Amino acid sequence: MSQTTQTAWPEGVIARYLSVGGATVDVRNVAVSAGTAACSGCQESEFFWRVTADCMGGPEHAREMNAEDARHWAQDHAETCRAMPRPTA
């Protein structure tokens, strides 16, 4: 049986997924109108979104929809990525 350690999420992270290899895939808002989802293991996979002012439903609706897309991307990536977490030191 494997053990997991709970650590505080970095500031700005709105969702976190654990990859098959044990790395994390974090979804974060980087600005009011933009955000990313990135894997801490492979560091080559990243999803970026930007909210445009002319979005139907307004910028808040666009941010929610884009964050939902990022969550789906992060979940899909976490299910297949075998990269190990990078050492911290």
Side-chain angles (χ1 to χ4, degrees):
M1 182 187 294
S2 66
Q3 283 186 300
T4 58
T5 305
Q6 289 284 337
T7 58
W9 289 6
E11 190 168 334
V13 171
I14 60 173
R16 177 171 266 191
Y17 300 86
L18 184 62
S19 75
V20 174
T24 58
V25 183
D26 290 341
V27 177
R28 70 176 67 228
N29 286 328
V30 293
V32 172
S33 62
T36 65
C39 179
S40 67
C42 66
Q43 302 228 335
E44 293 181 12
S45 298
E46 184 173 26
F47 179 96
F48 176 78
W49 79 84
R50 190 169 139 270
V51 175
T52 59
D54 62 346
C55 175
M56 221 170 165
E60 185 60 36
H61 180 259
R63 183 177 29 219
E64 289 174 20
M65 295 304 294
N66 289 326
E68 186 65 25
D69 289 345
R71 285 184 184 97
H72 286 295
W73 177 89
Q75 177 70 43
D76 289 346
H77 182 78
E79 288 175 358
T80 60
C81 182
R82 299 203 183 292
M84 301 284 289
R86 293 176 159 261
T88 57

